[in-house]
Every structure is written in structure tokens, then in C-alpha cells.
DNA sequence: ATGGTGGCGCGGCCA
């Protein structure tokens, strides 16, 4: 694996042309997709296979849904957090060569204190317990996706306005720290980055035009993988295209 | 507290 990307496409059917164009330009070896918003029977697998990718997916009607595209064959490992009963399709783990790739669409949480927020925190606790067991036997593991958490104030356009709010609350950040404390590195922060680097901007109020965003799309690598990582960048180009996703893709690369 | 925009699927939910 030379490069791996994550992109919340906000409907794979609405974004298929964007995805195809971007895959042709960026040519990532592995792509974790979130918010496919389609049940498996309607997933555009033939279109993506025609672009040279093996395709795994776990979807549902209208909401959520994840997929993994890979130039090399992938074998499915899990589409659920073991023991966490959840009809929402947010997890896809697969082995690609000697790496375990875990595509995640973390719950948004809606509003601090809400029922959805409690679900988000319990989901994150279950995830961390599972990843702890995985890391005991998987030296080369990467967790990537839409984490719906801005790790710290550098990842927020207006930290004071967002303080304690959903995507930024201390309980969410504490959960993310507990996860990374298992031995994962946020590879984006392993390299010098421009200030005000974000991966998501609300459609409303011209958020992207004003760069009023958050960095909530993350690539977390185990030490054995993180050591060799040669760079990580947010590709802003697709966010400027007509009818874009509200997220930009994030891509990390390794030297061959 | 609300509303601003977008996707799904055709009213209202979710982000």
C-alpha cells in the first residue's frame, strides 16, 4: 500500500462522477468511503470495478453506509463492532495485503446531551475496546474515516464558538484520546500543515468560501505503519467542484 | 432558539 485515503462523499450515487474523477487524478491504492447512503443491492459496484478497484461495502437505505475501494484484493474482516448490536452501517474492516484497514463513520451525535450524543459516546467506547483487542495481534493497522470529532482547537475555525459543542465537546475529545492512546497516530499531525486546515465545511452560510470548517476526517495509523508514512494532505479541489460533498478527501502516502 | 443547504425519497429525518 502506497497511499490510502478517506472521503465522506455524502451519497455515493450523487457523487459518483466526482469520485470517479478524483480516483483518476489521485489514484489512491485504498479509499475508505463514508455516507454512501445506499442499500447494498443498489451500490454502484460495477462502475467502481471498471475504474480498477476491488469494492467492499456495507450500506443501508438513506443513511450512513461505508465502502472500501482497493487496487489490490481485500478480504472482509468485519462490518460491526463485535458485541455492539447496531443496525446502523458505520464500520467496515478489511485486510489488504499485510494491513488491517478499518473504515469508520462515527455517529454525528446531533447535540451534546441528546440521545444521539449518548449513542455516539457508547459507540466510541465499544470501538476503543474492540481496537484494543485488534492491536494485540495486528501491528499494521489503520483506522480512518469521518470521526465527527475535531481532535483539538487547531482543528476548529472558531474554537471559542465551538467550545463544548457537538464535534468538539470534551467528552468526545476524551474518547478520541483514549482511542489514540492505544498506540495510534493522527498522521496528518506528523507533518507540518498550514494553519486553518479543515476537512468539512457546513453547506449552510457559505462555510467553505469563508473556510469556516473543522478537521474531523482522520487517518490513525499504528506505530509500525505511522513510522514509514511520508505525508498526509487534505485535497481541497473536489470541495470546489459543482455540487460537492461537504467533506474533502484526506490522503496519506508511504514511500514504495 | 432558529435557520441557513443538501441528500433521500416524496414528508420529514439527518447531517
Amino acid at each position: 500500500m502506497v497511499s490510502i485515503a478517506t472521503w465522506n462523499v455524502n451519497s455515493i450515487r450523487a457523487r459518483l462522477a466526482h469520485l470517479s474523477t478524483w480516483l483518476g487524478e489521485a489514484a489512491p491504492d485504498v479509499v475508505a468511503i463514508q455516507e454512501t447512503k445506499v442499500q447494498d443491492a443498489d451500490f454502484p459496484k460495477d462502475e467502481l470495478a471498471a475504474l480498477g478497484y476491488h469494492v467492499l461495502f456495507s450500506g443501508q437505505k438513506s443513511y450512513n453506509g461505508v465502502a472500501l475501494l482497493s487496487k489490490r484484493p481485500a478480504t472482509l474482516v468485519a462490518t460491526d463492532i463485535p458485541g455492539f448490536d447496531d443496525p446502523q452501517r458505520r464500520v467496515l474492516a478489511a485486510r489488504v495485503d499485510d494491513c488491517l484497514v478499518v473504515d469508520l463513520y462515527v455517529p454525528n451525535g446531533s447535540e451534546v446531551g441528546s440521545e444521539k450524543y449518548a449513542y455516539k459516546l457508547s459507540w466510541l467506547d465499544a470501538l476503543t475496546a474492540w481496537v484494543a483487542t485488534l492491536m494485540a495481534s495486528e501491528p499494521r493497522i489503520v483506522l480512518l474515516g469521518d470521526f465527527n470529532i475535531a481532535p483539538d482547537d487547531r482543528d476548529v475555525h472558531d474554537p471559542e464558538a465551538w467550545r463544548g459543542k457537538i464535534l468538539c465537546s470534551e467528552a468526545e475529545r476524551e474518547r478520541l484520546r483514549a482511542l489514540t492512546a492505544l498506540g495510534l497516530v493522527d498522521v496528518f499531525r506528523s507533518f507540518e500543515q498550514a494553519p486553518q486546515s479543515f476537512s468539512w465545511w457546513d453547506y449552510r452560510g457559505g462555510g467553505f468560501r469563508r473556510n469556516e470548517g473543522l478537521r474531523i476526517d482522520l487517518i490513525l495509523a499504528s506505530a509500525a505503519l505511522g513510522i514509514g508514512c511520508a505525508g498526509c494532505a487534505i485535497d481541497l479541489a473536489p470541495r470546489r467542484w459543482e455540487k460537492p460533498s461537504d467533506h474533502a478527501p484526506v490522503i496519506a502516502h508511504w514511500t514504495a
Side-chain angles (χ1 to χ4, degrees):
Chain A
M1 176 178 70
V2 174
S3 62
I4 185 165
T6 179
W7 194 6
N8 180 325
V9 296
N10 186 17
S11 168
I12 198 159
R13 288 176 293 178
R15 225 65 63 198
L16 194 53
H18 281 199
L19 180 58
S20 302
T21 299
W22 188 75
L23 291 173
E25 291 177 357
D29 294 291
V30 176
V31 189
I33 303 281
Q34 304 85 38
E35 282 206 270
T36 56
K37 294 187 171 180
V38 64
Q39 55 195 343
D40 291 349
D42 298 325
F43 190 92
K45 56 181 189 302
D46 295 338
E47 292 87 335
L48 294 165
L51 300 172
Y53 285 90
H54 294 88
V55 187
L56 296 172
F57 43 87
S58 177
Q60 64 185 96
K61 193 189 273 224
S62 302
Y63 303 115
N64 310 314
V66 286
L68 195 77
L69 318 182
S70 57
K71 291 192 167 175
R72 304 254 309 138
T75 56
L76 185 64
V77 171
T79 55
D80 285 284
I81 300 170
F84 188 82
D85 191 29
D86 189 358
Q88 301 188 29
R89 304 293 78 205
R90 301 180 173 277
V91 175
L92 199 161
R95 192 170 306 284
V96 184
D97 296 324
D98 62 346
C99 292
L100 185 66
V101 179
V102 185
D103 178 11
L104 299 171
Y105 177 47
V106 176
N108 172 283
S110 186
E111 199 177 331
V112 171
S114 67
E115 212 168 286
K116 291 193 179 79
Y117 183 70
Y119 162 68
K120 180 180 195 173
L121 297 182
S122 61
W123 192 96
L124 287 164
D125 288 339
L127 173 70
T128 300
W130 177 40
V131 173
T133 68
L134 287 176
M135 292 194 64
S137 56
E138 298 283 348
R140 296 169 68 80
I141 181 169
V142 56
L143 274 64
L144 75 172
D146 178 357
F147 281 74
N148 269 317
I149 304 171
D152 65 58
D153 284 353
R154 290 176 295 175
D155 304 308
V156 182
H157 71 93
D158 185 345
E160 295 318 315
W162 280 83
R163 179 127 6 252
K165 300 282 202 311
I166 196 67
L167 315 183
C168 299
S169 75
E170 201 43 50
E172 292 166 83
R173 286 175 167 176
E174 189 277 323
R175 266 32 175 224
L176 184 60
R177 286 194 296 269
L179 178 64
T180 55
L182 297 172
L184 297 163
V185 57
D186 177 358
V187 296
F188 186 79
R189 291 299 181 201
S190 297
F191 306 93
E192 189 161 328
Q193 303 291 354
Q196 307 288 103
S197 287
F198 308 124
S199 66
W200 168 81
W201 304 258
D202 201 307
Y203 284 124
R204 299 165 286 191
F208 182 69
R209 189 170 39 78
R210 305 163 186 267
N211 197 29
E212 293 176 352
L214 303 177
R215 189 178 70 94
I216 56 177
D217 299 275
L218 310 178
I219 301 176
L220 308 181
S222 62
L225 265 181
I227 287 289
C229 185
C232 181
I234 299 166
D235 187 352
L236 298 177
R239 190 62 176 79
R240 298 191 183 101
W241 297 344
E242 194 176 345
K243 285 273 190 182
S245 168
D246 45 351
H247 295 250
V250 184
I251 184 163
H253 68 276
W254 281 256
T255 49

